[in-house]
mmCIF file of all heavy atoms in Angstrom:
data_model
loop_
_atom_site.group_PDB
_atom_site.id
_atom_site.type_symbol
_atom_site.label_atom_id
_atom_site.label_comp_id
_atom_site.label_asym_id
_atom_site.label_seq_id
_atom_site.Cartn_x
_atom_site.Cartn_y
_atom_site.Cartn_z
ATOM 1 N N GLU B 2 77.725 -122.373 63.392
ATOM 2 C CA GLU B 2 77.869 -121.322 64.375
ATOM 3 C C GLU B 2 78.959 -121.638 65.364
ATOM 4 O O GLU B 2 78.977 -121.115 66.473
ATOM 5 C CB GLU B 2 76.533 -121.135 65.102
ATOM 6 C CG GLU B 2 75.427 -120.649 64.199
ATOM 7 C CD GLU B 2 75.767 -119.310 63.542
ATOM 8 O OE1 GLU B 2 76.649 -118.594 64.049
ATOM 9 O OE2 GLU B 2 75.152 -119.002 62.513
ATOM 10 N N SER B 3 79.866 -122.518 65.008
ATOM 11 C CA SER B 3 80.923 -122.892 65.930
ATOM 12 C C SER B 3 82.244 -122.261 65.534
ATOM 13 O O SER B 3 83.296 -122.779 65.846
ATOM 14 C CB SER B 3 81.060 -124.412 65.976
ATOM 15 O OG SER B 3 79.872 -124.989 66.453
ATOM 16 N N THR B 10 87.861 -131.613 61.331
ATOM 17 C CA THR B 10 87.368 -131.363 59.979
ATOM 18 C C THR B 10 87.592 -132.573 59.109
ATOM 19 O O THR B 10 88.669 -133.168 59.124
ATOM 20 C CB THR B 10 88.062 -130.132 59.364
ATOM 21 O OG1 THR B 10 87.772 -128.999 60.184
ATOM 22 C CG2 THR B 10 87.551 -129.875 57.961
ATOM 23 N N VAL B 13 86.273 -134.186 52.127
ATOM 24 C CA VAL B 13 85.889 -135.328 51.304
ATOM 25 C C VAL B 13 85.626 -134.861 49.877
ATOM 26 O O VAL B 13 85.125 -133.753 49.650
ATOM 27 C CB VAL B 13 84.650 -136.033 51.909
ATOM 28 C CG1 VAL B 13 83.464 -135.085 51.975
ATOM 29 C CG2 VAL B 13 84.285 -137.277 51.149
ATOM 30 N N GLY B 16 81.170 -136.942 45.730
ATOM 31 C CA GLY B 16 80.881 -138.269 45.197
ATOM 32 C C GLY B 16 81.394 -139.399 46.068
ATOM 33 O O GLY B 16 80.904 -140.539 45.955
ATOM 34 N N ASP B 17 82.366 -139.100 46.934
ATOM 35 C CA ASP B 17 82.873 -140.129 47.844
ATOM 36 C C ASP B 17 81.918 -140.291 49.024
ATOM 37 O O ASP B 17 81.046 -139.458 49.262
ATOM 38 C CB ASP B 17 84.265 -139.767 48.354
ATOM 39 C CG ASP B 17 85.326 -139.912 47.285
ATOM 40 O OD1 ASP B 17 85.007 -140.446 46.187
ATOM 41 O OD2 ASP B 17 86.472 -139.497 47.532
ATOM 42 N N ILE B 34 70.719 -138.974 68.136
ATOM 43 C CA ILE B 34 70.315 -138.216 66.960
ATOM 44 C C ILE B 34 71.558 -137.614 66.303
ATOM 45 O O ILE B 34 72.487 -137.188 66.994
ATOM 46 C CB ILE B 34 69.341 -137.065 67.317
ATOM 47 C CG1 ILE B 34 68.181 -137.565 68.175
ATOM 48 C CG2 ILE B 34 68.817 -136.388 66.055
ATOM 49 C CD1 ILE B 34 67.262 -136.445 68.648
ATOM 50 N N GLN B 45 69.690 -129.108 62.158
ATOM 51 C CA GLN B 45 68.602 -129.745 61.423
ATOM 52 C C GLN B 45 68.708 -131.256 61.604
ATOM 53 O O GLN B 45 69.768 -131.841 61.421
ATOM 54 C CB GLN B 45 68.718 -129.369 59.937
ATOM 55 C CG GLN B 45 67.684 -129.992 59.040
ATOM 56 C CD GLN B 45 67.932 -129.671 57.573
ATOM 57 O OE1 GLN B 45 68.927 -129.023 57.228
ATOM 58 N NE2 GLN B 45 67.041 -130.098 56.701
ATOM 59 N N ILE B 47 68.818 -135.104 61.057
ATOM 60 C CA ILE B 47 69.159 -135.955 59.921
ATOM 61 C C ILE B 47 68.562 -137.344 60.106
ATOM 62 O O ILE B 47 67.810 -137.836 59.268
ATOM 63 C CB ILE B 47 70.691 -136.091 59.766
ATOM 64 C CG1 ILE B 47 71.356 -134.746 59.576
ATOM 65 C CG2 ILE B 47 71.028 -137.010 58.597
ATOM 66 C CD1 ILE B 47 72.872 -134.829 59.579
ATOM 67 N N SER B 52 68.378 -147.254 71.268
ATOM 68 C CA SER B 52 69.441 -148.128 71.774
ATOM 69 C C SER B 52 69.163 -149.602 71.543
ATOM 70 O O SER B 52 70.063 -150.424 71.716
ATOM 71 C CB SER B 52 69.661 -147.874 73.266
ATOM 72 O OG SER B 52 68.471 -148.098 73.985
ATOM 73 N N GLN B 60 67.749 -141.794 53.733
ATOM 74 C CA GLN B 60 68.108 -141.476 52.354
ATOM 75 C C GLN B 60 69.556 -140.999 52.304
ATOM 76 O O GLN B 60 69.897 -139.958 52.842
ATOM 77 C CB GLN B 60 67.183 -140.376 51.817
ATOM 78 C CG GLN B 60 67.368 -140.088 50.346
ATOM 79 C CD GLN B 60 66.409 -139.021 49.859
ATOM 80 O OE1 GLN B 60 65.774 -138.322 50.637
ATOM 81 N NE2 GLN B 60 66.301 -138.884 48.554
ATOM 82 N N ARG B 61 70.418 -141.760 51.755
ATOM 83 C CA ARG B 61 71.861 -141.493 51.620
ATOM 84 C C ARG B 61 72.614 -141.479 52.939
ATOM 85 O O ARG B 61 73.816 -141.219 52.973
ATOM 86 C CB ARG B 61 72.138 -140.148 50.908
ATOM 87 C CG ARG B 61 72.106 -140.170 49.428
ATOM 88 C CD ARG B 61 72.880 -139.021 48.771
ATOM 89 N NE ARG B 61 72.563 -137.713 49.305
ATOM 90 C CZ ARG B 61 73.461 -136.912 49.874
ATOM 91 N NH1 ARG B 61 74.719 -137.287 50.013
ATOM 92 N NH2 ARG B 61 73.089 -135.725 50.314
ATOM 93 N N LEU B 73 79.100 -143.913 68.034
ATOM 94 C CA LEU B 73 78.049 -143.641 67.047
ATOM 95 C C LEU B 73 78.728 -143.146 65.775
ATOM 96 O O LEU B 73 79.699 -142.376 65.856
ATOM 97 C CB LEU B 73 77.149 -142.548 67.617
ATOM 98 C CG LEU B 73 75.759 -142.281 67.093
ATOM 99 C CD1 LEU B 73 74.860 -143.474 67.348
ATOM 100 C CD2 LEU B 73 75.193 -141.048 67.782
ATOM 101 N N SER B 74 78.249 -143.563 64.624
ATOM 102 C CA SER B 74 78.811 -143.023 63.395
ATOM 103 C C SER B 74 77.700 -142.683 62.411
ATOM 104 O O SER B 74 76.604 -143.249 62.462
ATOM 105 C CB SER B 74 79.789 -144.010 62.755
ATOM 106 O OG SER B 74 79.106 -145.141 62.263
ATOM 107 N N VAL B 87 78.438 -128.465 59.627
ATOM 108 C CA VAL B 87 78.920 -129.060 60.870
ATOM 109 C C VAL B 87 77.907 -130.108 61.310
ATOM 110 O O VAL B 87 76.701 -129.849 61.301
ATOM 111 C CB VAL B 87 79.111 -128.001 61.967
ATOM 112 C CG1 VAL B 87 79.561 -128.656 63.276
ATOM 113 C CG2 VAL B 87 80.133 -126.958 61.524
ATOM 114 N N GLY B 101 77.464 -133.464 71.243
ATOM 115 C CA GLY B 101 78.906 -133.540 71.121
ATOM 116 C C GLY B 101 79.442 -132.261 70.513
ATOM 117 O O GLY B 101 78.698 -131.346 70.179
ATOM 118 N N ARG B 105 83.249 -130.728 61.336
ATOM 119 C CA ARG B 105 82.996 -129.941 60.129
ATOM 120 C C ARG B 105 83.306 -130.796 58.903
ATOM 121 O O ARG B 105 84.383 -131.402 58.806
ATOM 122 C CB ARG B 105 83.873 -128.690 60.114
ATOM 123 C CG ARG B 105 83.494 -127.702 59.022
ATOM 124 C CD ARG B 105 84.416 -126.486 59.041
ATOM 125 N NE ARG B 105 84.446 -125.820 60.332
ATOM 126 C CZ ARG B 105 83.544 -124.969 60.762
ATOM 127 N NH1 ARG B 105 82.511 -124.657 60.002
ATOM 128 N NH2 ARG B 105 83.670 -124.403 61.955
#
Side-chain angles (χ1 to χ4, degrees):
Chain B
E2 295 301 340
S3 298
T10 300
V13 61
D17 288 352
I34 310 175
Q45 178 185 3
I47 301 173
S52 58
Q60 187 179 13
R61 277 202 311 120
L73 198 65
S74 69
V87 178
R105 190 181 304 279

